[in-house]
Amino acid sequence: MSYSLTTPLYYVNDRAHLGSTYTTLACDAIARFQRLRGEEVIFITGCDEHGQKIQRTAEAAGLTPQAHCDGVSEGYRQLWQRWQISNDRFIRTTDPRHRQLVEQFFARVEANGDVREGRQQGWYCVACEEFKDDPHGAQDPECAIHRKPLEWRDELNLFFRLSRYQEQIETLIRQPGFIAPASRRREVENFVAQGLRDFSISRVDLPWGIPVPGHGGHTFYVWFDALLGYLTALLEPGEPVELERVLQQGWPAQLHVIGKDILRFHAVYWPAMLLSAGLPIPERVFGHGFLTREGQKMGKSLGNVLDPELLLERCGRDAVRWYLLRDIPFGDDGDFQQQRFSDLVNNDLANTIGNLLNRTSSMARKWFAEAVPPDPGSSGASHPLALAAQTAVGAVNAALPLLDFRTAAEAILQLAGTANGYLNERAPWKAMKQPGAEGAVGADLYAVLEASRLVAVLLAPLLPELSARMLVQLGQVPFASGPGATNPVDWQAAQAWGGLQPGLPLPLPEPVMQRLELDGPL
Ligand code: MSP
């Protein structure tokens, strides 16, 4: 069994922004966590490249849609590489193989009697690529999300008979855990309770899309095609495109991570489409919240968009990952505040976690022949730090499967904080001045180093790079958590107290985390 998870497939109307980076970083942490647990992970990301929005953007740039998509999706691919995102697949919906898969899927849906012709009238938001049931403003209706004017549409389209799936979708969304966090379930329940209406799955006069077989002049509605990208991504490169194969190659996915604005597509339309085609439904759809910046919505017109390239260059991966995963409860909306960002990075990572290791290993090297001090057994399982570590290990392993990054990060921080407190209380720098104190000091330093090792082990899915630097500093082999990772040391076994080997040489300490000194706004 493999563990497949997906980010949304990002629209290529623009470069990546902090919102898409946020989703991708969170998925990366989960992918790494599952690989470390020994799962065979298929982590899918990619780009959604059809539809009116993309067509118009390309036209405005004076490019063919294909040339435009090639450029922007390459930008995404490279950006994720620079962020060291561990995706196994990168799917583009303009891939010719995807078109074949869409055709096969549609044939099944049509054979099942779920396609009909109909007249689509309504207000459409091109930025959302969605018809709006409750347009804002009676005179000149606009999109509540994009604050852009809606466009009136009246055309003959093909419809998917969503109404047939009312009961099955009701049952599905009641299943605990299908929609997460639980707080997001209500809005989907309300939508479904109003009665599911058939939705149009084709457009006429929109050349930038996949043609609907047997229905000249129609191209697929971008969302119908885009969701199927999750299936195409599972096909091995070079193998024949056969829909059925996805069942042996990672479908159903365990997890779709998305923003709350596209929950309806993933929790209602998508499962119904899959039911119609006779395919199983993903296990969980997690809708995270939106990020604002210093209390304001991020937008080009406000000029306050946070550029992920710039953020990466000026702050580094560990810092941004930590802030986003530790400070914002995943699922809730969150606000990016620069001061808080640098305070948290400096306090948590540079001081609490980084300095702890640095000063402890300096003392150990100085007094114990540049090596891990002997552990005379006094740091056994009843040692206060062993108990604190056990609590942290339990909390991290319980929180991460629920995508509760904040609880996991806090538990790790708490362990580091307890170890700092212990060190200050025991004050080995004073104790060492007493004759015969060596045994007790050695045991204390051993316990603190061991707690630091466990901090590093638990950090591996969240901050793989900091984790690796810490482990190297402790004479350990860092964990690999990227695609195809194999580890000589089992990650779970490494979570047991006492793994640090007395007498192991300790390398010369170097700061594991640079302080963030930001002069001027990002
Ligand atoms: N192309 C569709 C998804 C198709 S999936 C088969 C799409 N793309 S998107 O590029 O517009 O959005 C991608 C994701 O970014 C969405 O999950 C959206 O919620 C998220 N975000 C966009 N702005 C955001 C913030 N300001 N904050 C957090 N996430 C945000 O939708």
Side-chain angles (χ1 to χ4, degrees), residues 17 37 103 157 168 203 218 251 261 292 331 376-377 387 513 516:
H17 49 69
R37 295 220 298 188
E103 288 169 355
N157 285 335
Q168 287 171 82
R203 296 287 179 265
H218 290 258
W251 193 258
D261 54 329
T292 50
L387 296 175
M513 187 70 202
L516 208 52

Side-chain angles (χ1 to χ4, degrees), residues 40-364:
E40 204 180 297
V41 169
I42 310 180
F43 170 15
I44 295 168
T45 187
C47 287
D48 178 356
E49 306 190 358
H50 289 126
Q52 187 140 38
K53 172 156 68 172
I54 311 293
Q55 184 175 307
R56 285 188 187 171
T57 313
E59 274 163 14
L63 292 170
T64 62
Q66 189 64 58
H68 167 80
C69 292
D70 290 348
V72 180
S73 68
E74 186 52 29
Y76 267 97
R77 193 196 290 272
Q78 286 178 15
L79 181 70
W80 300 151
Q81 275 173 8
R82 283 198 289 280
W83 277 97
Q84 295 191 3
I85 299 301
S86 66
N87 57 297
D88 299 271
R89 305 285 163 86
F90 187 97
I91 175 72
R92 297 182 56 192
T93 57
T94 50
D95 181 336
R97 292 160 58 77
H98 177 62
R99 175 173 171 168
Q100 279 176 268
L101 182 128
V102 172
E103 288 169 355
Q104 290 176 18
F105 188 94
F106 176 72
R108 286 197 185 199
V109 172
E110 197 171 35
N112 200 30
D114 282 334
V115 178
R116 66 165 175 87
E117 285 184 357
R119 185 165 178 190
Q120 175 74 64
Q121 278 187 319
W123 291 104
Y124 193 75
C125 171
V126 176
C128 292
E129 293 280 17
E130 185 181 14
F131 279 98
K132 299 288 170 183
D133 306 332
D134 48 350
H136 270 234
Q139 291 255 293
D140 298 305
E142 58 173 33
C143 168
I145 299 172
H146 294 94
R147 295 280 165 212
K148 284 187 184 151
L150 298 174
E151 298 177 17
W152 179 253
R153 294 287 161 83
D154 181 357
E155 55 183 48
L156 288 176
N157 285 335
L158 299 173
F159 279 71
F160 172 73
R161 290 189 200 270
L162 181 65
S163 53
R164 275 187 167 183
Y165 294 90
Q166 179 79 29
E167 275 176 31
Q168 287 171 82
I169 297 295
E170 277 174 7
T171 311
L172 173 71
I173 61 177
R174 270 200 299 268
Q175 274 175 25
F178 174 65
I179 298 174
S183 54
R184 295 240 171 275
R185 207 158 95 190
R186 178 61 56 83
E187 64 189 75
V188 180
E189 278 171 352
N190 290 343
F191 171 69
V192 176
Q194 289 164 24
L196 291 176
R197 282 181 291 161
D198 298 349
F199 71 97
S200 66
I201 55 165
S202 77
R203 296 287 179 265
V204 287
D205 302 326
L206 176 61
W208 189 239
I210 297 178
V212 181
H215 299 270
H218 290 258
T219 51
F220 282 108
Y221 170 43
V222 59
W223 268 100
F224 187 85
D225 137 24
L227 288 160
L228 292 169
Y230 297 142
L231 300 181
T232 309
L234 290 171
L235 298 173
E236 302 284 352
E239 74 174 3
V241 178
E242 285 165 16
L243 187 52
E244 207 60 21
R245 282 178 187 251
V246 299
L247 295 172
Q248 279 81 52
Q249 291 173 188
W251 193 258
Q254 270 65 29
L255 176 67
H256 291 308
V257 180
I258 54 165
K260 62 181 182 180
D261 54 329
I262 54 176
L263 189 54
R264 188 185 296 185
F265 290 100
H266 285 79
V268 179
Y269 294 9
W270 178 222
M273 287 163 58
L274 288 162
L275 284 168
S276 172
L279 291 172
I281 288 164
E283 264 175 39
R284 190 154 38 134
V285 177
F286 193 105
H288 67 68
F290 262 47
L291 295 179
T292 50
R293 179 171 186 188
E294 313 289 348
Q296 280 192 309
K297 183 177 173 355
M298 271 180 275
K300 275 196 211 157
S301 47
L302 288 168
N304 66 348
V305 176
L306 259 177
D307 178 2
E309 301 267 3
L310 190 101
L311 206 56
L312 178 61
E313 221 168 89
R314 288 187 59 187
C315 312
R317 290 177 284 264
D318 289 318
V320 179
R321 281 176 85 108
W322 181 252
Y323 176 65
L324 293 177
L325 298 177
R326 174 227 193 290
D327 201 36
I328 301 161
F330 200 59
D332 293 0
D333 290 339
D335 190 35
F336 187 97
Q337 294 170 1
Q338 184 166 328
Q339 187 61 47
R340 187 162 166 80
F341 170 41
S342 57
D343 287 351
L344 285 184
V345 169
N346 292 339
N347 293 337
D348 300 349
L349 301 184
N351 296 347
T352 306
I353 294 179
N355 275 351
L356 173 71
L357 173 58
N358 203 281
R359 60 184 179 142
T360 316
S361 78
S362 299
M363 286 186 275

